[in-house]
Amino acid sequence: MRMLKLIWDFRGPLAEKTAEHHEIHLKDYIKTEQLNLNITGFQTINDMHAIAFMVVPEHIMKPIRDALKPHRGQLYQE
């Protein structure tokens, strides 16, 4: 089963804190929608760019993408 990493980009001096906070919303969405997903996170790219992400199976990606509108996505590799 292919897994996809949905990514939200945040830029600027508050990017890291914004990405960290966005992960909370991703976890809330998973709980509210009763999804069996457990890979979320945030990562600092540099001092002006950070990302929040959620990993989803390809077969359920479209409704999640349409609801949450990530900026981009890529294949997930552990």
Side-chain angles (χ1 to χ4, degrees):
M1 170 176 23
R2 287 191 350 158
M3 301 293 281
L4 304 174
K5 184 177 183 180
L6 303 180
I7 301 169
W8 292 261
D9 291 288
F10 301 97
R11 299 185 188 278
L14 299 176
E16 182 177 21
K17 288 292 184 189
T18 305
E20 184 178 5
H21 182 77
H22 192 72
E23 183 191 12
I24 295 168
H25 293 292
L26 296 176
K27 288 180 177 183
D28 288 344
Y29 178 82
I30 290 168
K31 187 175 181 179
T32 299
E33 297 297 317
Q34 300 177 350
L35 299 172
N36 187 22
L37 303 175
N38 57 10
I39 304 174
T40 63
F42 69 96
Q43 178 183 359
T44 302
I45 307 301
N46 60 46
D47 61 344
M48 297 293 277
H49 182 202
I51 64 169
F53 63 87
M54 172 193 292
V55 176
V56 302
E58 185 175 31
H59 71 277
I60 64 166
M61 179 274 296
K62 286 184 182 180
I64 295 171
R65 178 200 64 197
D66 293 348
L68 300 181
K69 300 186 181 1
H71 299 128
R72 57 195 173 99
Q74 64 188 38
L75 281 176
Y76 176 71
Q77 298 178 5
E78 294 182 47

